[in-house]
Amino acid sequence: MLHTHCLRWLMIAAVLFMVGSKVAMADDKASGIALALGSGGAGGLAHIAMLAEFEQRDITPDAIAGTSIGAIIGAMYAAGLSSEEIRDLFDTFGESVLNPFSGLGNNGPGWTDLVRAELGNGGAFDQSGFLDFIGEHFEARSFDELNIPLKVVATNYWDGSSVVFESGDLFTALKASMAVPGLFNPVKRDDQLLIDGGVSNPLPWDLLEGHDYVIAIDVTGVREPNADNEVSALDLLFKTFEVMQQSIISEKMHNGGPDIYIKPDLNGVRLLHFDRVDAVIEQAADASDELGKALDERLAAKSEDAQ
């Protein structure tokens, strides 16, 4: 009887040891870092350079929150694509794919193959073809299938509130998050009409509360006066949306910012310059170096705490 009792306690102790070991392994694997990827049209290609800094240090974010292009790139990364694979994907688009206003070149799949005109549905284009294209490069179709927890931000047109997706169909969330008003179709869901998340929360670090260390990447760009102090109607339209997003971010910062805020110096990048991935990443070099230094300091501090 005593032997049986002792054996039972030994088995319980073994189970507890195994559970404790798994928890310890999970803690070792956890980076303690959460990453917010902001809205900013083609400026969001700078996010690729930031993800490369994580990879160089073998760091995986514990969670990602993204808006618009930040949601798109965040979803690709959370689904298992590397920064280089994401960069290659945008390279294949060619000059005319995501910039229908440029009239440049015709490399890669055609713009009309990826984004179809639908003038009667609240936007100039339907973004479904583009999402189908990126969906060919990874298997995840729901949030549950992602390797990294992801939150995607859209905006309810009717009341202006943020709508946060973190479960269910991934591509419905992405389609809503990138629905730039007047350009891409809004998404109907129940009694909501969903538009671009940048309208309400262009840099969603506030969705990552509870994580040890929150990094936010602001890709809204900059504007500099030219010689005649004039801008085209198209630039005025797109850059006004940028000004609005920067005002929202500035107001949020007054109420408490992220642990690390990185803003690449992106100038001359239009909303749809997705064919210029190399140029955007080059402009982001100083900012990615800044992020790299912040990550190194984080790793050094974590190492000291462990000793």
Side-chain angles (χ1 to χ4, degrees):
M1 189 74 175
L2 181 61
H3 175 75
T4 301
H5 183 73
C6 291
L7 182 60
R8 182 181 301 160
W9 277 107
L10 284 171
M11 291 176 65
I12 293 173
V15 170
L16 290 175
F17 175 78
M18 291 174 63
V19 171
S21 297
K22 288 182 178 180
V23 171
M25 290 174 63
D27 287 342
D28 288 341
K29 187 176 180 181
S31 67
I33 298 174
L35 180 62
L37 301 178
S39 170
L45 296 172
H47 290 319
I48 299 171
M50 307 303 156
L51 294 174
E53 295 293 331
F54 280 83
E55 292 170 344
Q56 289 173 19
R57 293 158 179 81
D58 197 25
I59 299 173
T60 300
D62 292 340
I64 298 173
T67 299
S68 199
I69 184 61
I72 298 293
I73 291 180
M76 292 181 191
Y77 200 68
L81 295 185
S82 68
S83 62
E84 190 63 30
E85 287 171 326
I86 297 171
R87 181 173 184 161
D88 289 344
L89 187 153
F90 280 102
D91 272 338
T92 66
F93 290 167
E95 292 182 338
S96 64
V97 174
L98 290 175
N99 188 3
F101 306 107
S102 70
L104 300 175
N106 192 30
N107 298 326
W111 165 259
T112 55
D113 292 332
L114 299 184
V115 184
R116 297 180 290 274
E118 288 198 0
L119 296 175
N121 294 323
F125 301 98
D126 174 21
Q127 60 273 46
S128 298
F130 166 67
L131 293 173
D132 289 343
F133 182 85
I134 67 169
E136 293 174 1
H137 295 78
F138 58 85
E139 296 182 357
R141 291 297 177 269
S142 70
F143 283 82
D144 292 340
E145 296 174 308
L146 296 173
N147 299 331
I148 302 172
L150 174 69
K151 294 183 179 182
V152 170
V153 181
T155 303
N156 184 3
Y157 169 79
W158 299 118
D159 61 14
S161 62
S162 289
V163 176
V164 180
F165 292 84
E166 52 187 318
S167 62
D169 183 75
L170 177 63
F171 284 82
T172 297
L174 297 180
K175 185 175 183 179
S177 187
M178 68 175 288
V180 178
L183 184 62
F184 295 123
N185 289 343
V187 174
K188 295 179 181 178
R189 190 182 73 156
D190 300 326
D191 59 347
Q192 297 175 327
L193 187 66
L194 301 177
I195 59 174
D196 194 292
V199 174
S200 59
N201 193 353
L203 187 54
W205 73 79
D206 51 306
L207 301 182
L208 299 170
E209 291 181 356
H211 291 275
D212 294 339
Y213 197 70
V214 178
I215 297 173
I217 312 298
D218 180 357
V219 292
T220 53
V222 296
R223 297 162 304 283
E224 295 181 355
N226 52 36
D228 55 13
N229 209 28
E230 294 182 358
V231 295
S232 68
L234 193 60
D235 279 340
L236 191 62
L237 174 64
F238 289 157
K239 291 295 184 178
T240 298
F241 189 58
E242 180 180 275
V243 171
M244 178 200 72
Q245 293 179 95
Q246 290 172 344
S247 296
I248 295 171
I249 292 170
S250 178
E251 183 63 28
K252 284 179 61 181
M253 292 287 270
H254 289 307
N255 297 320
D259 295 291
I260 294 294
Y261 169 80
I262 304 289
K263 182 176 173 60
D265 186 15
L266 303 174
N267 187 30
V269 181
R270 286 183 177 178
L271 183 71
L272 296 175
H273 275 168
F274 285 92
D275 56 302
R276 305 185 183 184
V277 57
D278 292 338
V280 174
I281 288 177
E282 183 178 347
Q283 286 195 45
D286 289 344
S288 63
D289 288 344
E290 181 185 352
L291 174 61
K293 292 176 183 177
L295 291 173
D296 288 339
E297 290 174 1
R298 169 69 179 175
L299 289 173
K302 195 172 182 180
S303 177
E304 289 180 3
D305 291 341
Q307 292 176 356

